[in-house]
């Protein structure tokens, strides 16, 4: 829930994390159902592999050093979070290599998806109690804006439209408008189409 005291950095990070929770949960559930559309399942899998890798690499290589520079005491806890990122990388590798059968048994895919979901949910429960206060206390609005711009400009295009649909599910309209306002103009123009596509994919996987 947003409060008036939350800075943009916390709002955007919270929405991104909740999106990761929602998307990994949907993948694990849909992968266990034979009726799930293979194209939509593959799109969600590929999106998660790309976006989760990009997310934690941005933290390890950019955000963590930014926080450590002004709060040296955060180094050890942040190192522990980076170690968890290594475990996530292994789970992402396993999921990425897993075929998405057009028919028949998808138990291996479902197992890999469930393992990723569990790791992501556990990791975020460790990360947020440290990260949210650090963002609030140590990262200025200007510093966050520069970091967020770097993240946006390097975001992988794989399944990127799904971002909009999952943000719509986890945020208020005001929060979603805030996080999408940072998109460049060409992407802004494409938001309605991305919203329609992502809503259709998500609905398809939920109904399967």
């Amino acid at each position: 829930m947003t409060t008036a005291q939350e800075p943009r950095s916390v709002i955007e990070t919270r929405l991104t994390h909740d999106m990761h929770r929602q998307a990994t949960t949907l993948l694990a559930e849909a992968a266990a159902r034979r009726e799930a559309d293979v194209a939509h399942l593959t799109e969600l899998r590929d999106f998660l592999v790309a976006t989760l890798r990009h997310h934690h690499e941005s933290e390890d290589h950019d955000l963590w050093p930014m926080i450590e520079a002004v709060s040296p005491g955060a180094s050890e806890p942040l190192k522990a979070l980076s170690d968890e990122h290594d475990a996530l990388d292994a789970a992402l590798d396993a999921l990425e290599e897993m075929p998405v059968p057009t028919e028949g048994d998808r138990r291996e895919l479902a197992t890999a998806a469930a393992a990723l979901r569990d790791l992501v949910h556990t990791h975020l429960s460790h990360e947020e109690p440290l990260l949210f206060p650090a963002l609030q206390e140590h990262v200025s609005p200007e510093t966050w804006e520069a970091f967020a711009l770097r993240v946006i400009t390097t975001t992988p295009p794989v399944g990127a439209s799904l971002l909009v649909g999952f943000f719509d599910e986890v945020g208020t309209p005001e929060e979603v408008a805030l996080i999408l306002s940072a998109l460049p103009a060409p992407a802004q123009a494409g938001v309605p189409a991305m919203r329609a596509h992502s809503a259709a994919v998500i609905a398809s996987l939920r109904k399967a």
Side-chain angles (χ1 to χ4, degrees):
M1 180 69 67
T2 304
T3 70
Q5 289 73 40
E6 275 189 328
R8 181 170 187 152
S9 57
V10 173
I11 294 171
E12 293 185 348
T13 302
R14 174 170 51 76
L15 258 65
T16 300
H17 285 181
D18 286 348
M19 179 268 292
H20 292 158
R21 290 183 175 99
Q22 195 92 330
T24 54
T25 297
L26 178 57
L27 180 65
E29 292 173 350
R33 296 194 289 267
R34 293 188 179 189
E35 301 82 6
D37 181 88
V38 66
H40 292 166
L41 199 56
T42 302
E43 182 177 356
L44 178 56
R45 188 273 306 271
D46 292 349
F47 161 72
L48 275 170
V49 169
T51 196
L52 284 169
R53 277 205 185 113
H54 178 257
H55 178 77
H56 69 242
E57 287 171 0
S58 297
E59 290 178 335
D60 288 339
H61 302 312
D62 204 349
L63 186 56
W64 287 183
M66 186 189 308
I67 293 172
E68 289 170 346
V70 292
S71 180
S75 294
E76 283 304 312
L78 292 175
K79 171 64 167 59
L81 293 174
S82 290
D83 290 343
E84 292 187 6
H85 289 167
D86 292 341
L88 281 169
D89 269 333
L92 290 169
D93 288 343
L95 182 63
E96 185 176 31
E97 294 167 4
M98 199 66 59
V100 183
T102 56
E103 57 185 24
D105 193 349
R106 290 177 177 163
R107 276 180 294 182
E108 290 187 354
L109 177 67
T111 298
L116 177 66
R117 174 201 60 202
D118 294 346
L119 277 172
V120 166
H121 286 224
T122 299
H123 171 67
L124 294 178
S125 74
H126 297 162
E127 183 172 284
E128 289 174 346
L130 172 68
L131 180 55
F132 288 172
L135 291 174
Q136 197 144 11
E137 296 166 13
H138 301 302
V139 178
S140 69
E142 296 77 17
T143 300
W144 177 259
E145 183 178 356
F147 167 74
L149 180 60
R150 290 192 294 274
V151 170
I152 289 168
T153 56
T154 57
T155 294
V158 180
S161 66
L162 294 178
L163 282 167
V164 179
F166 284 115
F167 282 146
D168 283 342
E169 291 199 343
V170 302
T172 66
E174 294 77 15
E175 290 171 339
V176 175
L178 177 70
I179 200 168
L180 295 181
S181 68
L183 293 174
Q188 290 278 357
V191 165
M194 289 190 286
R195 177 167 277 127
H197 173 76
S198 58
V201 171
I202 292 168
S204 164
L205 291 174
R206 286 230 168 88
K207 290 175 183 175

